[in-house]
Amino acid sequence: MALIKFSTDSAADVPVSLREELNIQVLPFPIAMGEQEYADGFDFTPEEFYDMLLAAPNIPTHAQLNPYVFTQIFEQAWQEGYTDLIHTSINSKGSATCANALQAREEFYQGHPEAKDAFHIHIIDSLNYTMGYGWAVVHGARMAAQGAAPQEVVDFIQDWVDHVRVIFAPLDLRFAKKSGRISAAAAFMGEALGLKPIMTFTNGESKILSKVRGEKSVISGLVDMCKKERRADSPYLIIRGNNLEQADRLLEACRQGLGGEPAIVFGIGGVIAINAGPNLIGLIYRT
């Protein structure tokens, strides 16, 4: 009988309650803030980090997860008797983390040739961020709990990340400008004209889909885009940061424009907040 271990990294933004409920191992990215280092998603809540981020004199940095981190979880899962480990990774075009996981898998099997046919390590490159892949891990873990076979779960996660759409609007352009998601010139023009970009990721690359004037237009722009693109049977997820007023407005607009309730409303974690800023809203759905 298959026994599946699920793992992902903290940029997937899987809420603590779901991690614990479904026994998903989340590997925290280290975040450096001045001389202090924090474990993303463990040393603070999202809300605590927004305050820390806004108070920091310089934008914090985060590092990749190195091969040793993955070697440890592979060794542990093998020793605990798991038959499969499914790891879903942050976008390989934005971090070397996925490549490090692949390297660690190769080294693990070199050190444990007897494990090759008994312990299967599946590594999935999400080519995305936040619950764009975190939700696939959550649903995959629920499938496994109901008896789904490992390959069925892997196929579901791969299909989801191949078709998921993450659309979001950074309402404060400082962080997106610093991270390179938006050019300095575009950010300056946006600030001067009151324009807000609606962004996504296509094949791992950030892309501005449209620019709208004012925060009210952001909400209608997000909902209209979701209505046009979302597959009929797809759940939708609401992304929020520290702007609870705008998140509530987006929720109400979704109820009216999309019908039904979101699968989840969640707060972005530290890695996402550093790169996009804490003041953002967005939607996730399958196309």
Side-chain angles (χ1 to χ4, degrees):
M1 180 179 175
L3 185 60
I4 309 172
K5 177 73 174 179
F6 289 87
S7 65
T8 189
D9 50 65
S10 61
D13 291 338
V14 177
V16 173
S17 59
L18 290 174
R19 293 183 215 165
E20 294 175 348
E21 174 193 344
L22 298 167
N23 192 30
I24 298 169
Q25 184 169 3
V26 172
L27 309 178
F29 282 101
I31 290 178
M33 186 175 286
E35 296 183 358
Q36 185 71 39
E37 184 170 286
Y38 298 92
D40 181 31
F42 289 82
D43 289 341
F44 45 72
T45 65
E47 290 71 23
E48 288 170 342
F49 187 75
Y50 306 151
D51 292 338
M52 293 163 61
L53 180 57
L54 291 172
N58 299 302
I59 294 179
T61 60
H62 56 86
Q64 65 192 22
L65 297 177
N66 61 44
Y68 178 69
V69 171
F70 292 102
T71 297
Q72 286 186 303
I73 70 161
F74 298 162
E75 290 280 358
Q76 181 181 3
W78 167 241
Q79 294 300 325
E80 290 176 353
Y82 285 95
T83 60
D84 293 80
L85 184 147
I86 303 174
H87 178 79
T88 310
S89 175
I90 188 174
N91 181 5
S92 64
K93 293 187 179 179
S95 171
T97 294
C98 187
N100 290 339
L102 292 169
Q103 177 186 331
R105 179 175 66 179
E106 183 178 344
E107 292 173 352
F108 174 84
Y109 285 131
Q110 287 174 354
H112 298 280
E114 74 281 8
K116 205 147 195 176
D117 294 326
F119 176 51
H120 307 100
I121 301 172
H122 313 266
I123 297 173
I124 300 169
D125 180 2
S126 72
L127 289 175
N128 224 309
Y129 298 96
T130 191
M131 285 283 272
Y133 64 103
W135 184 251
V137 179
V138 167
H139 192 78
R142 287 174 173 161
M143 290 172 63
Q146 294 171 1
Q151 193 57 52
E152 182 183 357
V153 175
V154 169
D155 290 345
F156 167 80
I157 295 175
Q158 187 66 62
D159 180 70
W160 173 272
V161 299
D162 285 346
H163 295 92
V164 70
R165 182 72 126 167
V166 177
I167 56 174
F168 66 100
L171 302 177
D172 179 345
L173 301 181
R174 291 176 299 162
F175 295 88
K177 179 172 67 175
K178 287 276 189 181
S179 69
R181 304 296 178 200
I182 300 176
S183 72
F188 175 78
M189 290 300 295
E191 290 163 354
L193 299 174
L195 297 176
K196 306 295 182 184
I198 294 178
M199 303 181 65
T200 192
F201 296 94
T202 301
N203 295 321
E205 304 289 351
S206 62
K207 179 181 178 182
I208 295 178
L209 295 171
S210 66
K211 296 178 182 178
V212 298
R213 191 179 301 277
E215 294 187 1
K216 186 176 180 180
S217 297
V218 164
I219 291 175
S220 59
L222 290 169
V223 175
D224 288 347
M225 197 170 296
C226 183
K227 283 176 71 173
K228 291 175 184 175
E229 296 183 338
R230 181 170 69 116
R231 199 171 80 168
D233 60 347
S234 170
Y236 70 91
L237 292 71
I238 292 180
I239 310 167
R240 68 161 181 83
N242 65 350
N243 195 328
L244 300 184
E245 181 180 355
Q246 286 297 85
D248 286 343
R249 288 177 179 170
L250 178 58
L251 172 59
E252 187 55 37
C254 286
R255 286 169 171 161
Q256 294 181 15
L258 303 178
E261 293 293 313
I264 190 172
V265 179
F266 70 94
I268 56 170
V271 168
I272 307 303
I274 287 170
N275 288 282
N279 187 1
L280 94 171
I281 52 174
L283 292 171
I284 298 172
Y285 50 92
R286 190 194 187 284
T287 59

